[in-house]
Amino acid sequence: MRKIIVVLVLLSSGILGCANEMSDQDVEKLAVAEEMIDAWNRMDWDRAFGLFADDGVLHSVMNEPVVGRDVISERLTALVGGLERIELEIVNKGIVGDVVVLERVDDFVYKGKHSRIPVVGVMEISDGKIDEWREYYDKASLVAALSPAAPGAIEDEILELTGRLSTDWNAGNMAAYLDAYADHAELSLLFGSRIVAGKQAMVDLFTSTWTTEEAMGDFDTDRVGVHVPAPGIAVARGLFEHRFPDETIRGAFSHVWQ
């Protein structure tokens, strides 16, 4: 617990520092850090590695530091080869003393396995390059994320999520139901003769169409099967019965999960 408190205090100090007028040097440091995050999100590894100083250091603090841009490039190239996508979601960022502090959640798919890992990164930056990048995270969580998924694990997870959708809806918990859907640009829903694109459009549709627990009715699924055609993607198909106050609708459904 003491460690968590210390991290939060540091982040708070950094946020306050950003609220005041920053020096040109601090503005440059933040710009370099943001460029590194953007390079990772775009999986532009040449640009990412090029942001390290020649003798730069990458130190995952639970492991030995990796020293030198060329060595960092060699080590990380072997790792990132298994990435299908990654987004370093920034929660807080700021300048604390002479360093950039980034609190984030790394959301990625590695060899077909989706994971989210909370991380705090600390960067020492000078002359437009990263001299040292220290990463603090739970090593066991990352090791598990980078380990191959157990046979059938994805299928079991999709079946569990499909069942949870039904449970949350039938409990009248619209918020929990909608929370299962990612706020992602590629999220889409075929609804009647229209395509609903994006999380907010889906939220607006559902909350305006089914305004009460009674109006939501309840539904069950049956004979649900899951097929994984490619790493990171699954297709669930099955039958459903949705019972509304004045009618019951039966049919088939398909969910494409990423």
Side-chain angles (χ1 to χ4, degrees):
M1 181 63 71
R2 186 178 300 111
K3 291 183 180 179
I4 294 174
I5 293 172
V6 170
V7 169
L8 291 176
V9 170
L10 288 174
L11 289 171
S12 298
S13 300
I15 295 166
L16 290 175
C18 288
N20 300 324
E21 184 176 353
M22 292 190 297
S23 68
D24 291 343
Q25 188 178 39
D26 286 345
V27 170
E28 181 185 20
K29 289 179 181 179
L30 277 176
V32 172
E34 289 167 354
E35 185 178 357
M36 175 63 84
I37 297 302
D38 183 67
W40 273 80
N41 289 346
R42 295 176 184 273
M43 299 176 69
D44 186 346
W45 306 124
D46 288 340
R47 181 158 64 109
F49 302 147
L51 286 169
F52 282 97
D54 289 342
D55 57 351
V57 177
L58 177 60
H59 188 189
S60 295
V61 296
M62 285 65 73
N63 301 306
E64 291 298 315
V66 182
V67 181
R69 178 196 296 157
D70 292 341
V71 181
I72 292 171
S73 175
E74 181 181 351
R75 294 279 186 89
L76 287 185
T77 297
L79 173 65
V80 300
L83 280 175
E84 296 166 35
R85 70 163 184 84
I86 186 168
E87 181 177 2
L88 276 54
E89 302 173 359
I90 302 300
V91 179
N92 287 298
K93 63 182 177 183
I95 299 289
V96 181
D98 294 328
V99 301
V100 176
V101 178
L102 301 170
E103 179 193 11
R104 64 182 203 265
V105 177
D106 292 356
D107 185 295
F108 58 90
V109 175
Y110 185 80
K111 295 184 178 179
K113 187 175 182 179
H114 175 241
S115 301
R116 290 175 60 83
I117 306 294
V119 182
V120 171
V122 178
M123 295 182 182
E124 296 182 11
I125 300 171
S126 65
D127 300 324
K129 297 292 184 179
I130 297 173
D131 298 314
E132 183 167 352
W133 183 359
R134 296 184 293 277
E135 295 275 272
Y136 300 82
Y137 53 86
D138 178 61
K139 183 176 180 180
S141 297
L142 182 60
V143 169
L146 301 180
S147 300
I154 298 299
E155 291 86 343
D156 291 343
E157 183 179 4
I158 295 299
L159 290 173
E160 191 274 332
L161 286 168
T162 302
R164 192 191 311 166
L165 288 174
S166 178
T167 299
D168 289 338
W169 184 278
N170 294 344
N173 193 341
M174 178 69 79
Y177 177 87
L178 292 171
D179 187 57
Y181 294 88
D183 188 0
H184 195 278
E186 295 183 1
L187 175 66
S188 62
L189 169 71
L190 299 181
F191 185 77
S193 60
R194 58 187 286 202
I195 298 176
V196 181
K199 177 66 174 285
Q200 189 57 54
M202 182 178 177
V203 170
D204 293 343
L205 170 66
F206 275 56
T207 55
S208 63
T209 303
W210 297 286
T211 56
T212 66
E213 182 175 347
E214 181 182 10
M216 290 171 66
D218 59 85
F219 76 89
D220 295 313
T221 58
D222 188 29
R223 297 170 60 184
V224 181
V226 179
H227 172 58
V228 182
I233 295 179
V235 179
R237 301 185 182 93
L239 305 177
F240 75 91
E241 179 177 282
H242 201 143
R243 297 174 291 276
F244 294 102
D246 55 354
E247 66 175 334
T248 296
I249 298 176
R250 300 179 178 86
F253 71 90
S254 294
H255 287 165
V256 179
W257 296 79
Q258 179 176 341

